[in-house]
């Protein structure tokens, strides 16, 4: 970390002298680094002012996901979902972050059945009884980002699909419990993958979560195959997503060559995902959107 003088303004923007603000905090992190831990940079630790703005974006993001609960139904297209999310986001003063992000053409990701993630809404994709769909919503409010996704059942789904959805959410909730200050990302990922594999499922390795808040995708990259006591140290002020992709079959995946975005299971098995944006605090994790 950059050396800051004791009487210099603190890096967090509080206006206080460094010795009165984050000096003891940084010393604690440095001690972990000396002992061999991977530690976050200052730009990966959000300031109180940033956290408040990201928290507000999270309220809007969660509201959109809540509204989808009563909206999604058999017979509609995934393009209908895109229109709904776009309209609700702008109505609440937000901007749909996926739209035009690195060329993504829509305002939301809609991943159906064997689509693992990054499904592109389309008028020709009609939801039918028994389908499962992940809807991934990311909202920008006043320049700050919140990101979460949920699984939605279309009518009555099979017991196998219901179990996959339930276990995937349990994976996220178990991972969340491990997100304690001064623990490690590996603690979270170990809990996620153990529960998935204990239930006969696999976890996608190539795609993971990410830091978020000041931008759409930030450091750290968050994997869900890990070992306790490893990976980055979790410190108060870090914000990232927990979003494992759990497959009913093998973990192998492939990308749609035509659209360059959508990821599928190689064996055509069902895939499920839940996503929370999480803030690390001294008192435990705070879910900012889910």
């Amino acid at each position: 970390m950059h050396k800051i003088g004791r009487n210099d303004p603190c890096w967090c923007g509080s206006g206080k002298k460094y010795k009165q603000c984050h000096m003891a905090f940084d010393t604690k992190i440095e001690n972990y680094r000396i002992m061999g831990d991977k530690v976050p940079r200052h730009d990966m630790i959000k300031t109180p002012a940033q956290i408040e703005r990201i928290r507000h974006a999270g309220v809007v993001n969660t509201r959109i996901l809540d509204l989808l609960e009563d909206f999604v139904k058999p017979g509609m297209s995934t393009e209908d979902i895109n229109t709904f999310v776009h309209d609700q986001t702008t109505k609440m003063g937000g901007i749909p972050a996926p739209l035009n992000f690195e060329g993504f053409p829509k305002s939301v990701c809609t991943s159906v059945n064997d689509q693992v993630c990054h499904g592109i809404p389309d008028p020709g994709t009609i939801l039918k009884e028994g389908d499962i769909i992940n809807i991934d919503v990311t909202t920008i409010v006043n320049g700050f980002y919140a990101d979460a996704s949920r699984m939605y059942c279309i009518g009555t789904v099979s017991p196998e699909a219901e179990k996959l959805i339930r276990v995937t959410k349990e994976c996220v909730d178990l991972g969340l419990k491990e997100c304690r200050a001064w623990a490690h990302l590996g603690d979270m990922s170990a809990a996620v993958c153990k529960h998935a594999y204990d239930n006969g499922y696999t976890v996608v390795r190539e795609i993971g979560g990410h830091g978020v808040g000041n931008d759409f995708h930030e450091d750290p990259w968050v994997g869900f195959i890990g070992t306790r006591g490893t990976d980055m140290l979790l410190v108060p002020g870090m914000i990232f997503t927990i979003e494992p992709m759990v497959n009913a079959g093998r973990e192998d995946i492939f990308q749609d060559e035509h659209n360059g975005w959508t990821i599928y299971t190689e064996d055509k098995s069902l895939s499920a995902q839940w996503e929370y944006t999480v803030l690390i605090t001294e008192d435990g994790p705070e879910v900012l959107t889910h």
Side-chain angles (χ1 to χ4, degrees), residues 6 55 108 129 153 197 202 214 220 238 244 246 251 280 285 289:
R6 291 169 53 86
R55 186 179 282 121
V108 66
E129 185 87 10
C153 295
Y197 281 86
T202 60
N214 295 341
M238 291 179 68
V246 178
E251 68 267 24
I280 302 300
T289 182

Side-chain angles (χ1 to χ4, degrees), residues 8-289:
D8 290 343
C10 187
W11 56 265
C12 76
S14 66
K16 297 178 182 178
K17 292 181 179 180
Y18 182 50
K19 66 182 179 182
Q20 298 169 334
C21 197
H22 272 88
M23 191 171 82
F25 177 84
D26 282 353
T27 299
K28 185 172 183 177
I29 294 175
E30 177 63 11
N31 288 337
Y32 276 96
R33 189 196 67 78
I34 291 169
M35 291 187 293
D37 282 289
K38 182 180 179 181
V39 301
R41 306 182 306 269
H42 281 160
D43 65 349
M44 296 163 66
I45 302 169
K46 304 299 190 291
T47 68
Q50 290 169 338
I51 290 169
E52 281 306 307
R53 288 166 173 80
I54 298 165
R55 186 179 282 121
H56 177 60
V59 170
V60 175
N61 201 76
T62 299
R63 178 60 178 155
I64 294 166
L65 288 162
D66 288 344
L67 291 170
L68 284 164
E69 297 283 352
D70 293 328
F71 179 76
V72 177
K73 59 184 180 294
M76 67 169 40
S77 71
T78 52
E79 180 62 29
D80 293 331
I81 295 172
N82 180 73
T83 299
F84 182 83
V85 170
H86 184 95
D87 290 349
Q88 292 298 325
T89 301
T90 55
K91 181 179 178 180
M92 288 185 255
I95 299 170
L99 185 59
N100 299 321
F101 175 76
E102 295 184 353
F104 191 81
K106 300 292 181 175
S107 296
V108 66
C109 295
T110 53
S111 303
V112 183
N113 295 334
D114 64 331
Q115 294 179 337
V116 176
C117 62
H118 304 159
I120 299 177
D122 182 83
T125 302
I126 307 300
L127 299 178
K128 63 183 184 298
E129 185 87 10
D131 284 342
I132 62 173
I133 180 171
N134 176 268
I135 303 179
D136 192 344
V137 175
T138 308
T139 307
I140 311 169
V141 181
N142 297 323
F144 291 86
Y145 293 69
D147 185 10
S149 77
R150 295 183 192 173
M151 295 299 301
Y152 298 82
C153 295
I154 308 305
T156 302
V157 304
S158 69
E160 293 79 12
E162 185 280 328
K163 180 186 175 185
L164 175 65
I165 290 170
R166 173 176 53 80
V167 170
T168 303
K169 188 173 188 301
E170 290 170 355
C171 286
V172 176
D173 290 332
L174 288 168
L176 178 68
K177 291 180 180 179
E178 301 292 338
C179 291
R180 300 180 299 271
W182 315 110
H184 295 82
L185 269 177
D187 303 338
M188 180 277 296
S189 59
V192 167
C193 70
K194 182 180 187 304
H195 191 64
Y197 281 86
D198 282 351
N199 280 275
Y201 301 135
T202 60
V203 178
V204 173
R205 297 167 181 263
E206 298 91 332
I207 308 170
H210 52 89
V212 69
N214 295 341
D215 206 343
F216 199 158
H217 295 134
E218 306 171 5
D219 290 335
W221 186 81
V222 180
F224 301 104
I225 302 289
T227 304
R228 289 185 177 276
T230 67
D231 210 332
M232 185 165 286
L233 184 72
L234 299 177
V235 308
M238 291 179 68
I239 296 178
F240 56 87
T241 66
I242 304 176
E243 51 173 314
M245 285 142 272
V246 178
N247 295 346
R250 300 192 309 272
E251 68 267 24
D252 306 276
I253 58 174
F254 71 94
Q255 186 177 61
D256 188 311
E257 294 182 357
H258 177 69
N259 67 37
W261 281 99
T262 308
I263 305 297
Y264 292 84
T265 57
E266 184 73 45
D267 61 6
K268 301 299 182 182
S269 62
L270 294 176
S271 186
Q273 180 189 28
W274 294 83
E275 178 182 13
Y276 299 170
T277 290
V278 177
L279 164 68
I280 302 300
T281 80
E282 288 284 7
D283 298 323
E286 178 186 344
V287 178
L288 300 181
T289 182

